[in-house]
Amino acid sequence: MKALLGAAALFAAALLGRPTGVNDAAITAEGWPAHLSDYAFFTDLKARTPAPRLMAYTLETPLFSDYAEKERYVYLPEGSRATYDPDKPLDLPVGAALIKTFGYRTNGVFKPLETRVLLHRASGWTPIPYVWNAEGTDADVKRAGTRIPVTFTDPSGERHSISYAVPNQNQCKDCHGLAGQVVPIGIKARYLNHGGQLEQLLAAGMLDRLPADAPKVARWNDTAAPLDQRARAWLEINCAHCHNPQGAASNSGLFLDLGRADPEQRGLFKRPTAAGRGAGTRDFDIVPGDPDASILLYRMQSTDPGIAMPELGRATVHKEGVALVRDWIESMPKSDSAR
């Protein structure tokens, strides 16, 4: 009933008319708008032309999702600003929204498949998935998720045909959960601090401050950057939203956030808390100097649902990410004995 009342309020707001720009009521009211167009995030939805105070951004090292391309946007309501934090995601006010569109290129043209919105309501952050129609003119709400047959070619030229998974609303919470709350993941200062993005937010009045020493993260495929920094950045963005003391994988004891200093917590000669198929015949999460003996790499290389890590969001192996982590483990000094 609450969802229906919320939806009714959204349509009433639309009928009464609103100023040119984003439909703030669609973000903050209860319920789930039926179409992506209901939010008016874009002045031209098919071309995805941003409305005022909707800013595009990219991550220096992004999450891998079956080689899908992603278009990311952040929206802040008029008169509000994000609060800078050097370590956590930017603190976004109620009424803010994060919009991420996934898709693949066909004959060089980006075709959107799904858009996930993360809405900051008074009750907290609410994730909602939308699936685009064949014409690319709008996307419909799919709270239960769905699967879409997709064929694409990866950067190495290999062709893939997969059943692309659009997550259901609860699966969104699996990755975005922290200490029992839904939170943003990628919109951290260290991931945005390139190409003048933080400066643009500050100049637009959408960020409260920007210290000169704002942190930066290595780009995972920048071979000029140190291998350790690149591999740990890849592991953080792909794994640490679960593998941290307050995440869904907190009981694993494997913590892959960048600030983690303890070698065993980071996986070095760490035995898994629960043995099984996920470990194969291996004893430790990471064996320095021996990637093939490391559970971490074994799970990254698998697409078996009982073995693969991350568990959600991929039906293919990120070959380039695997090569990066393999080189990283191989570069570690070998030890004669495990702790």
Side-chain angles (χ1 to χ4, degrees):
M1 179 59 71
K2 287 183 178 179
L4 291 174
L5 290 174
L10 298 180
F11 288 119
L15 290 172
L16 290 171
R18 59 177 181 262
T20 301
V22 172
N23 181 0
D24 291 313
I27 296 173
T28 57
E30 293 187 56
W32 305 277
H35 308 289
L36 186 60
S37 57
D38 292 335
Y39 300 96
F41 286 133
F42 304 94
T43 56
D44 181 335
L45 184 54
K46 187 168 185 177
R48 296 177 303 286
T49 304
R53 294 187 67 80
L54 185 76
M55 293 192 68
Y57 68 93
T58 62
L59 305 186
E60 188 75 317
T61 289
L63 176 74
F64 173 76
S65 305
D66 284 329
Y67 292 101
E69 291 187 37
K70 300 169 190 176
E71 297 177 344
R72 299 174 180 84
Y73 302 87
V74 57
Y75 168 75
L76 298 182
E78 190 68 39
S80 68
R81 294 184 297 180
T83 302
Y84 170 86
D85 189 291
D87 301 311
K88 300 176 183 178
L90 302 181
D91 187 5
L92 305 178
V94 170
L98 295 168
I99 303 97
K100 183 163 62 172
T101 295
F102 298 67
Y104 294 89
R105 290 191 178 271
T106 301
N107 298 323
V109 178
F110 179 79
K111 179 181 179 181
L113 288 182
E114 61 153 329
T115 293
R116 304 174 194 176
V117 300
L118 195 58
L119 311 175
H120 199 183
R121 295 174 168 174
S123 57
W125 287 94
T126 299
I128 311 176
Y130 290 83
V131 173
W132 286 77
N133 60 30
E135 297 75 26
T137 56
D138 208 345
D140 300 327
V141 67
K142 290 287 183 183
R143 293 184 57 222
T146 191
R147 287 190 170 271
I148 305 170
V150 171
T151 298
F152 65 91
T153 302
D154 71 24
S156 72
E158 182 180 354
R159 196 161 178 79
H160 302 264
S161 292
I162 64 170
S163 177
Y164 178 93
V166 177
N168 64 49
Q169 220 166 356
N170 286 329
Q171 287 175 318
C172 293
K173 295 174 183 177
D174 287 344
C175 288
H176 284 273
L178 187 71
Q181 303 293 320
V182 174
V183 298
I185 294 173
I187 193 159
K188 293 182 178 179
R190 61 175 171 262
Y191 286 103
L192 302 182
N193 196 4
H194 64 277
Q197 294 185 128
L198 291 175
E199 290 80 1
Q200 291 169 21
L201 284 171
L202 185 69
M206 296 171 66
L207 184 63
D208 68 335
R209 63 191 178 94
L210 179 58
D213 62 349
K216 295 184 179 183
V217 72
R219 191 169 74 248
W220 73 278
N221 59 356
D222 178 10
T223 56
L227 176 60
D228 180 71
Q229 292 181 21
R230 294 191 288 123
R232 293 193 64 187
W234 190 96
L235 288 169
E236 180 181 68
I237 197 65
N238 281 277
C239 312
H241 48 271
C242 288
H243 282 277
N244 70 79
Q246 295 180 303
S250 59
N251 62 350
S252 72
L254 176 65
F255 304 139
L256 297 171
D257 42 313
L258 275 172
R260 194 62 45 184
D262 183 273
E264 188 171 6
Q265 288 185 342
R266 288 164 43 203
L268 278 67
F269 285 126
K270 180 195 167 301
R271 293 185 183 275
T273 54
R277 292 182 59 232
T281 58
R282 296 153 183 79
D283 295 321
F284 302 104
D285 290 341
I286 296 176
V287 179
D290 194 346
D292 290 319
S294 301
I295 296 170
L296 178 70
L297 193 70
Y298 171 66
R299 302 194 76 169
M300 285 175 57
Q301 293 177 135
S302 177
T303 56
D304 184 318
I307 299 172
M309 279 288 175
E311 295 176 308
L312 300 173
R314 71 175 181 92
T316 56
V317 173
H318 188 199
K319 295 181 292 186
E320 298 81 5
V322 165
L324 171 65
V325 174
R326 172 178 287 278
D327 289 346
W328 175 60
I329 295 174
E330 203 161 44
S331 72
M332 297 176 183
K334 294 183 179 180
S335 175
D336 294 331
S337 61
R339 287 190 278 175

